Amino acid sequence: MAEPFRFPEPLREGTILARPNRFIMDVDLDGETVRCHCPVVSRIGDIDTAGLPCLVSDSHNPRRKLPLAVEALSLTAPGDPGRRWVGLNQNASNRYVEHFLRQGAVPGIVDEPVPVRREVPLGSSRLDFLVDDSVYLEVKTPLRQLECAVPEGVGRLPQPPFSSTDRAVRHLHELADSLADHDRAVILYCLYYANDGFHFYHGTTYDEVMACVDEVRARGVELWQADFSVDAEKVDLVGCHPLEEW
């Protein structure tokens, strides 16, 4: 059993009041309105986050403009005994993945402790990990779509068209090229909530991206999904499996 990633201190529970822009959330913490960093660069599904419960971390760094950060939100009401959290911190995703890679606890990708290097140059990019000098691994944390049931009563927002896929396509090609002198190349899609299985967002460039995926898969690039759970104290790796459909 893998040791979970533990937060330095328990996260505080609050209620999201508003998201004035993509970098900021205003949160009610114990009756006080506090401005927090939002670590999600995109929409969070098509939901309106106002009124949703959240978990907040404190960096205790007075030099940061926003020392508090929203780490997770819940689609269920406060006090619901079936409460589950949706992890939001895309910036911390590599930290969580590294924690489990170093334990050799990502089934099917690494099953024993091995050397792990971060931010490894490859082509014109820097990929997230080189594992055991043989596996290039790129981490993605998709939140633009939430592939889970959204209860009635959660507000919805209209979704604008999405067409920014250049970086994803470049990484796919560079991973395929890396197989000339490395054993494996993996893209790991990390979902921090109970989900129904990841499928790429059907935006305006979907057909182009799917053609690229088919090409690099034929060349040996592997697509995997890792499922995590988040609570006020820790992040657990629930499971990891190859993506048969995308």
Side-chain angles (χ1 to χ4, degrees):
M1 184 72 177
E3 179 64 24
F5 178 96
R6 297 188 181 278
F7 297 114
E9 62 185 17
L11 306 180
R12 297 172 62 189
E13 186 168 337
T15 302
I16 299 170
L17 300 175
R19 189 181 182 187
N21 62 47
R22 64 179 181 168
F23 302 110
I24 292 172
M25 282 180 169
D26 291 330
V27 175
D28 182 331
L29 282 176
D30 301 322
E32 178 185 1
T33 300
V34 181
R35 181 146 287 187
C36 301
H37 172 58
C38 176
V40 183
V41 299
S42 65
R43 294 280 188 98
I44 302 168
D46 64 351
I47 62 171
D48 182 353
T49 58
L52 296 180
C54 66
L55 295 175
V56 175
S57 65
D58 188 343
S59 68
H60 299 289
N61 185 349
R63 291 177 294 181
R64 288 186 56 175
K65 184 177 180 180
L66 297 173
L68 302 181
V70 177
E71 299 285 345
L73 60 77
S74 179
L75 300 175
T76 54
D80 188 322
R83 168 77 56 81
R84 288 185 173 182
W85 296 99
V86 176
L88 300 181
N89 198 335
Q90 293 172 319
N91 298 327
S93 194
N94 283 13
R95 192 184 320 149
Y96 306 149
V97 171
E98 181 178 13
H99 172 83
F100 292 104
L101 285 173
R102 290 192 180 278
Q103 294 184 66
V106 186
I109 297 177
V110 55
D111 298 308
E112 60 184 25
V114 293
V116 176
R117 291 170 53 197
R118 287 277 300 266
E119 295 293 321
V120 181
L122 178 63
S124 60
S125 303
R126 298 183 72 85
L127 295 188
D128 293 321
F129 295 102
L130 179 59
V131 182
D132 199 24
D133 290 325
S134 62
V135 183
Y136 275 109
L137 188 145
E138 177 74 3
V139 172
K140 303 293 184 186
T141 309
L143 282 166
R144 188 176 180 84
Q145 70 268 35
L146 285 181
E147 298 183 347
C148 61
V150 178
E152 290 188 18
V154 174
R156 301 296 188 109
L157 298 171
Q159 280 281 22
F162 177 63
S163 60
S164 179
T165 56
D166 291 348
R167 185 168 181 266
V169 168
R170 185 177 76 248
H171 281 170
L172 286 166
H173 282 300
E174 288 174 338
L175 280 166
D177 292 341
S178 78
L179 289 167
D181 52 16
H182 285 83
D183 294 340
R184 298 174 69 189
V186 176
I187 289 191
L188 183 65
Y189 289 89
C190 298
L191 301 187
Y192 293 89
Y193 57 91
N195 65 87
D196 301 328
F198 176 74
H199 292 85
F200 185 72
Y201 179 75
H202 281 243
T204 55
T205 58
Y206 178 78
D207 291 340
E208 172 195 342
V209 173
M210 287 307 300
C212 177
V213 168
D214 290 342
E215 175 196 339
V216 300
R217 267 187 158 158
R219 295 172 63 188
V221 174
E222 303 171 38
L223 275 64
W224 287 71
Q225 175 179 325
D227 297 320
F228 298 83
S229 66
V230 180
D231 61 34
E233 296 185 349
K234 65 189 184 303
V235 177
D236 279 297
L237 176 59
V238 177
C240 187
H241 59 87
L243 281 168
E244 300 300 333
E245 299 180 5
W246 199 60

